[in-house]
Amino acid sequence: GAGVSQTPSNKVTEKGKYVELRCDPISGHTALYWYRQSLGQGPEFLIYFQGTGAADDSGLPNDRFFAVRPEGSVSTLKIQRTERGDSAVYLCASSSTWNSPLHFGNGTRLTVT
Amino acid sequence: DQQVKQNSPSLSVQEGRISILNCDYTNSMFDYFLWYKKYPAEGPTFLISISSIKDKNEDGRFTVFLNKSAKHLSLHIVPSQPGDSAVYFCAASGRNTGNQFYFGTGTSLTVIP
């Protein structure tokens, strides 16, 4: 079946603007994760959803970052007042159950100019 | 605080020989370990996993070894093939460590034909 789909694949925005990044997980996967990967680093955890609720948002760096998953499927990561330090690849992953392997999308490369 | 460490940023191996990628962790509560492979402009792809009740798991050319007392795991690829050239990430999680997977910084493997 289809894998995890992330749109857009690339996003360039100006400092201070608002962006939304979308993730469409594998059908039937209840667990959804957002990670951020900066150059030369491994993926860093941002937020985890089990169903519709954010079960763990401890990785969100500050209150400019917010994510939703209103119907327990598609998720949107929202970043307000973007800063140049937000530039990174934002990865979404889903899994069938908690603590089973994550299946990643190809990511959205965000560049803040 | 890097809980999962990959101390070798890069590794070059001749085709047909064994590739050994290493990973160390600090959190004794981790009980599930995974290896991911990443090609440029793609998301990480799950390769192989091991739970802490085992010390070895094998899948074709890929074998993961876990040494709990040393808090060390390794991925062996034999024989190595040029298509194995990619960045490899190890990751870990635990039932008592929250809902996130912790990733290392990756090792870039180059298999020379």
Side-chain angles (χ1 to χ4, degrees), chain A residues 46-70:
Chain A
L46 295 176
I47 188 169
Y48 158 70
F49 288 89
Q50 180 58 44
T52 59
D56 183 351
D57 64 357
S58 62
L60 294 178
N62 52 59
D63 61 5
R64 295 185 298 104
F65 289 75
F66 189 71
V68 295
R69 194 186 186 198

Side-chain angles (χ1 to χ4, degrees), chain A residues 27 33-34 40 45 101:
Chain A
S27 177
Y33 299 75
W34 283 98
F45 171 78

Side-chain angles (χ1 to χ4, degrees), chain A residues 33 35 37 40-43 45 48 55-56 58 91 98-106, chain B residues 31-32 34 36 38 41-44 46 89 93-95 98-105:
Chain A
Y33 299 75
Y35 277 79
Q37 185 173 17
Q41 301 297 314
F45 171 78
Y48 158 70
D56 183 351
S58 62
L91 293 164
W98 180 85
N99 222 29
S100 59
L102 304 183
H103 299 268
F104 284 89
N106 286 336
Chain B
D31 58 13
Y32 183 53
L34 309 91
Y36 282 83
K38 185 182 183 306
E42 294 184 9
F46 170 69
F89 293 97
S93 72
R95 190 162 291 277
N99 299 294
Q100 59 181 288
F101 288 79
Y102 294 82
F103 283 80
T105 52

Side-chain angles (χ1 to χ4, degrees), chain A residues 21-90:
Chain A
L21 311 179
R22 177 190 166 105
C23 173
D24 201 339
I26 292 172
S27 177
H29 279 191
T30 56
L32 185 146
Y33 299 75
W34 283 98
Y35 277 79
R36 177 168 73 173
Q37 185 173 17
S38 301
L39 196 61
Q41 301 297 314
E44 293 178 290
F45 171 78
L46 295 176
I47 188 169
Y48 158 70
F49 288 89
Q50 180 58 44
T52 59
D56 183 351
D57 64 357
S58 62
L60 294 178
N62 52 59
D63 61 5
R64 295 185 298 104
F65 289 75
F66 189 71
V68 295
R69 194 186 186 198
E71 297 176 357
S73 178
V74 171
S75 176
T76 305
L77 178 66
K78 308 180 182 198
I79 311 174
Q80 299 178 321
R81 305 183 304 280
T82 51
E83 299 177 355
R84 292 195 180 91
D86 299 335
S87 297
V89 176
Y90 288 81

